[in-house]
């Protein structure tokens, strides 16, 4: 160990040579290369296991409990250390279990009388130890078995290794942990990372724009007027669009990621402004501008139910599903109508009405079905836990036009007419939101969404006819996608394909975006540096 003890490695001189070799030896052992590990130990004179731990291992495997306790007492130099007490407790427990399995009750009692005072064990600890032993599984299987005893001793060593301080032992699979941490750091700083694939160790990790949807791969032109809404289904196999031509459309996403028309839904008398997929993708809700809510069968395209009717003044501004695909909730732009929960047959389950329920701008249900998030009267967000009835209110200073929840239900974003997108955490730990800007929004309803690997990105439409993409780590746009000729009203990121995005525009088209070119243009790189 003295040879090379103070030598340093690395270009910065931050790595201790003997520590580096020691974790290399550990790695070789953990990968099953015992001969290579032993050879490296011999050649470097650096042992993976310290002398103290080697002695402890020998005493545990041979069942020499007095010596084992003595070694532990030396390793833990602080008698008041809780970790030390835990380690000694585990050894004493193993000792007593073995004696009792052998039927030697008197020897077990003698050990307890001798060691308990040394461990500072009071009556409560002794009682706990007795209970642990009585109820342990090993006490249920009759006579002691030599193989079972050895397995128990090996398990004890594993537990002790977790408790013994550095540098007597080093953490399990330490080299793997260090390399993985380095890779995760590189991934975390990579703004374009958007893949489930394993990362190569042969070079530093850095993704290009080919990892995100940034090039138009298809243009859908079936609608006859402005397209106001677009949303991929939960499985990513379908796409729904809604238009001011009073229709909604269901599209099929093919295996090659091309999109083809499946159904045109014609029943609304006014422009269709919102759609919502059931979690199981078998049903689709559509609601129009100052019109009722309709439920469609996705497979057949048949209208299954109409909720309310125009004659009674029941109008819906937004809607959402619960995880069971059997219940839905809708909010009305009419304060007197409030928020209503229905089943799919049109039976009202619950309603929130009254003076506390003003005009509903948008609403969503979290993926676990536990909370409902509602945007009221332009500037107020209310988060209601449906079981506990606990409500949290967030007030924005500018009017809110839309709401979107992340796939894991931990975060949500709102679009503001002040040309900002605010990201809030659902748990309420943040005092201020994360803010994203760069797009244009002042007059129209613009909708954004989460997307990509682990919802690491935000996409949004814009009044300047472009689509904006952000990485959550950066407030400035990562990409600005050109192609549409008029306002982009809504975007949707395919939840099962992180490299597929759809956008809907007043130019009457839906654009499907796929992976971009591997390298970014020099001009764009220069612009990013200037920001």
């Amino acid at each position: 160990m003295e040879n090379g003890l103070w030598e340093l490695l690395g270009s910065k001189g931050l790595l201790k040579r003997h520590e580096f070799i020691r974790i290399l030896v550990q790695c070789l052992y953990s990968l099953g290369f015992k001969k290579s590990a032993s050879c490296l130990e011999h050649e470097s004179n650096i042992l993976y296991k310290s002398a103290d731990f080697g002695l402890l291992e020998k005493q545990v495997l041979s069942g020499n409990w007095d010596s084992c306790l003595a070694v532990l007492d030396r390793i833990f130099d602080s008698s008041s250390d809780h970790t030390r007490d835990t380690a000694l407790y585990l050894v004493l427990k193993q000792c007593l279990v073995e004696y009792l399995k052998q039927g030697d009750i008197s020897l077990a009692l003698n050990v307890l009388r001798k060691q308990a005072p040394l461990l500072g064990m009071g009556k409560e600890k002794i009682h706990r130890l007795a209970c642990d032993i009585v109820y342990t599984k090993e006490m249920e299987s009759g006579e002691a078995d030599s193989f079972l005893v050895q397995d128990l001793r090996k398990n004890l060593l594993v537990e002790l290794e977790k408790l013994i301080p550095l540098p007597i032992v080093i953490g399990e699979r330490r080299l793997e942990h260090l390399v993985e941490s380095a890779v995760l750091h590189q991934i975390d700083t990579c703004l374009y990372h958007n893949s489930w694939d394993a990362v190569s160790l042969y070079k530093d990790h850095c993704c290009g724009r080919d990892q995100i949807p940034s090039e138009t791969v298809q243009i859908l032109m079936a609608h006859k007027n402005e397209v106001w809404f677009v949303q991929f289904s939960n499985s990513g196999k379908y796409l729904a669009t809604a238009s001011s031509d009073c229709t909604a459309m269901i599209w099929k996403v093919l295996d090659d990621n091309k999109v083809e028309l499946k159904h045109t839904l014609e029943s609304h008398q006014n422009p269709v402004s919102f759609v919502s997929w059931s979690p199981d993708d078998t049903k689709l809700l559509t609601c129009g501008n100052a019109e009722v809510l309709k439920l469609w069968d996705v497979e057949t395209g048949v209208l299954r139910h109409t909720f309310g009717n125009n004659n009674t003044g029941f109008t819906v501004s937004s809607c959402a599903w619960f995880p069971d695909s059997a219940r839905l909730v809708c909010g009305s732009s009419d304060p007197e109508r409030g928020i209503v929960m229905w089943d799919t047959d049109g039976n009202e389950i619950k309603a929130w009405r009254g003076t506390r329920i003003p005009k509903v701008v948008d609403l969503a249900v979290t993926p676990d079905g536990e909370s409902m998030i509602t945007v009221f009267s332009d500037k107020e967000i209310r988060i209601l836990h449906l079981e506990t009835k606990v409500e949290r209110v967030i007030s924005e200073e500018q009017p809110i036009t839309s709401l979107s929840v992340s796939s894991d239900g931990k975060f949500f974003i709102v679009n503001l007419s002040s040309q900002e997108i605010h990201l809030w955490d659902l748990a309420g730990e943040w005092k201020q939101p994360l803010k994203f800007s760069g797009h244009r929004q002042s007059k129209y309803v613009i909708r954004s969404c989460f997307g990509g690997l682990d919802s690491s990105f935000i996409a949004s439409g814009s009044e300047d006819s472009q689509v904006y993409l952000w990485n959550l780590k950066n407030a400035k746009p990562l990409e600005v996608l050109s192609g549409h000729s008029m306002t982009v009203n809504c975007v949707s990121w395919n939840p099962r394909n992180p490299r597929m995005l759809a956008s809907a525009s007043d130019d009457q088209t839906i654009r499907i975006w796929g992976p971009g070119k591997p390298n970014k243009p020099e001009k764009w790189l220069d612009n990013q540096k200037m920001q």
Side-chain angles (χ1 to χ4, degrees):
M1 190 71 158
E2 294 299 324
N3 182 25
L5 181 61
W6 304 111
E7 289 185 37
L8 300 176
L9 303 175
S11 61
K12 304 294 184 182
L14 299 176
L15 308 177
K16 296 177 182 178
R17 179 178 179 273
H18 71 279
E19 291 186 355
F20 189 77
I21 293 174
R22 191 177 173 196
I23 66 170
L24 280 177
V25 175
Q26 182 202 43
C27 182
L28 288 171
Y29 274 122
S30 68
L31 293 174
F33 301 118
K34 296 182 180 179
K35 291 182 180 179
S36 299
S38 178
C39 181
L40 181 55
E41 283 183 310
H42 177 74
E43 187 173 355
S44 65
N45 198 31
I46 296 174
L47 300 177
Y48 154 47
K49 294 181 179 178
S50 66
D52 278 335
F53 189 78
L55 179 59
L56 177 66
E57 182 178 44
K58 181 179 179 181
Q59 304 305 331
V60 170
L61 293 179
S62 62
N64 191 344
W65 303 116
D66 286 339
S67 297
C68 180
L69 290 169
V71 173
L72 283 175
D73 203 36
R74 184 172 69 252
I75 288 174
F76 293 98
D77 54 5
S78 174
S79 59
S80 61
D81 187 270
H82 174 71
T83 309
R84 166 193 175 276
D85 291 345
T86 302
L88 295 174
Y89 183 90
L90 290 174
V91 171
L92 187 56
K93 177 184 173 183
Q94 177 65 27
C95 170
L96 293 174
V97 165
E98 289 191 20
Y99 287 151
L100 291 173
K101 290 280 288 183
Q102 296 167 7
D104 203 335
I105 298 175
S106 60
L107 186 57
L109 290 173
N110 287 335
V111 170
L112 193 59
R113 291 192 190 99
K114 177 182 176 181
Q115 296 296 343
L118 296 177
L119 296 176
M121 294 178 67
K123 290 183 178 180
E124 290 185 6
K125 285 187 177 179
I126 295 175
H127 179 69
R128 175 191 154 201
L129 179 62
C131 289
D132 283 351
I133 293 172
V134 169
Y135 291 107
T136 189
K137 290 182 180 179
E138 289 75 23
M139 295 302 296
E140 300 173 0
S141 54
E143 295 182 4
D145 179 273
S146 59
F147 293 106
L148 174 62
V149 168
Q150 283 302 309
D151 285 343
L152 292 176
R153 290 175 180 176
K154 289 177 181 177
N155 291 338
L156 173 61
L157 273 173
V158 171
E159 294 304 312
L160 291 176
E161 200 167 353
K162 297 175 183 177
L163 299 170
I164 295 173
L166 296 170
I168 297 171
V169 298
I170 53 179
E172 186 179 6
R173 298 182 179 274
R174 179 62 183 165
L175 183 58
E176 289 179 40
H177 170 74
L178 288 172
V179 174
E180 188 175 50
S181 296
V183 170
L184 288 174
H185 174 71
Q186 291 183 8
I187 289 174
D188 194 49
T189 56
C190 176
L191 296 180
Y192 284 93
H193 187 75
N194 193 32
S195 172
W196 287 288
D197 297 338
V199 173
S200 173
L201 299 179
Y202 294 145
K203 60 181 181 179
D204 288 343
H205 175 73
C206 183
C207 293
R209 68 195 300 265
D210 58 326
Q211 293 296 309
I212 63 172
S214 52
E215 299 287 341
T216 299
V217 295
Q218 191 177 0
I219 302 175
L220 311 179
M221 297 184 291
H223 283 292
K224 296 180 176 60
N225 211 327
E226 298 171 352
V227 188
W228 288 353
F229 201 93
V230 60
Q231 189 177 70
F232 280 105
S233 67
N234 300 283
S235 67
K237 296 179 179 179
Y238 300 101
L239 180 72
T241 58
S243 171
S244 61
D245 65 7
C246 305
T247 70
M249 293 183 180
I250 296 176
W251 307 77
K252 174 72 173 176
V253 179
L254 305 178
D255 292 338
D256 61 358
N257 291 327
K258 292 294 184 182
V259 178
E260 68 176 18
L261 183 61
K262 182 177 177 67
H263 299 298
T264 299
L265 311 179
E266 298 177 309
S267 177
H268 286 281
Q269 303 302 309
N270 293 302
V272 185
S273 58
F274 198 94
V275 303
S276 181
W277 289 94
S278 64
D280 61 9
D281 283 2
T282 63
K283 298 175 281 291
L284 181 73
L285 290 170
T286 61
C287 54
N289 187 13
E291 200 175 338
V292 293
L293 180 68
K294 293 181 181 291
L295 175 66
W296 305 83
D297 182 275
V298 171
E299 183 59 34
T300 63
V302 172
L303 178 62
R304 289 182 52 177
H305 192 81
T306 298
F307 297 82
N309 60 77
N310 289 330
N311 296 330
T312 61
F314 180 79
T315 59
V316 177
S317 57
S318 57
C319 53
W321 288 89
F322 284 86
D324 57 12
S325 295
R327 295 170 298 150
L328 55 107
V329 64
C330 62
S332 176
S333 56
D334 182 351
E336 293 184 5
R337 301 295 175 179
I339 302 171
V340 183
M341 184 192 299
W342 312 77
D343 65 19
T344 52
D345 293 324
N347 299 308
E348 185 177 308
I349 301 173
K350 186 176 179 61
W352 294 265
R353 299 187 178 98
T355 55
R356 291 189 67 253
I357 308 298
K359 175 184 177 182
V360 176
V361 175
D362 204 351
L363 60 75
V365 174
T366 54
D368 58 14
E370 293 183 358
S371 298
M372 182 169 64
I373 309 172
T374 311
V375 176
F376 288 113
S377 296
D378 296 340
K379 298 180 183 180
E380 186 177 272
I381 305 166
R382 293 188 196 173
I383 304 170
L384 173 66
H385 192 283
L386 295 169
E387 183 176 348
T388 64
K389 306 298 189 296
V390 174
E391 186 177 72
R392 180 164 66 93
V393 177
I394 299 173
S395 296
E396 289 281 9
E397 295 181 358
Q398 300 295 327
I400 305 168
T401 63
S402 63
L403 162 73
S404 183
V405 181
S406 64
S407 59
D408 60 10
K410 295 180 180 179
F411 306 96
F412 64 90
I413 49 178
V414 289
N415 276 55
L416 306 178
S417 60
S418 59
Q419 305 187 127
E420 283 188 337
I421 296 172
H422 287 187
L423 169 66
W424 292 93
D425 71 313
L426 193 74
E429 296 177 357
W430 299 358
K431 300 301 181 183
Q432 297 293 329
L434 297 181
K435 299 178 180 181
F436 303 87
S437 60
H439 65 302
R440 299 290 177 263
Q441 179 179 3
S442 58
K443 297 186 295 183
Y444 303 118
V445 173
I446 301 296
R447 298 184 184 276
S448 59
C449 70
F450 289 93
L453 183 68
D454 298 327
S455 296
S456 299
F457 300 89
I458 291 174
S460 180
S462 177
E463 292 177 8
D464 62 3
S465 76
Q466 302 187 98
V467 175
Y468 286 75
L469 305 182
W470 294 263
N471 186 295
L472 295 185
K473 305 181 190 76
N474 199 326
K476 299 297 182 181
L478 179 66
E479 291 282 347
V480 180
L481 312 182
S482 300
H484 286 292
S485 59
M486 298 179 71
T487 295
V488 180
N489 300 301
C490 184
V491 292
S492 180
W493 212 303
N494 191 314
R496 301 301 177 189
N497 183 349
R499 300 178 190 177
M500 188 177 192
L501 179 75
S503 58
S505 171
D506 283 351
D507 64 12
Q508 305 183 23
T509 69
I510 302 102
R511 282 184 176 251
I512 307 300
W513 305 84
K517 297 177 182 178
N519 297 315
K520 297 180 64 177
E522 292 298 325
K523 183 178 179 181
W524 175 253
L525 282 171
D526 292 340
N527 289 338
Q528 286 292 87
K529 291 176 182 177
M530 291 174 64
Q531 292 177 359

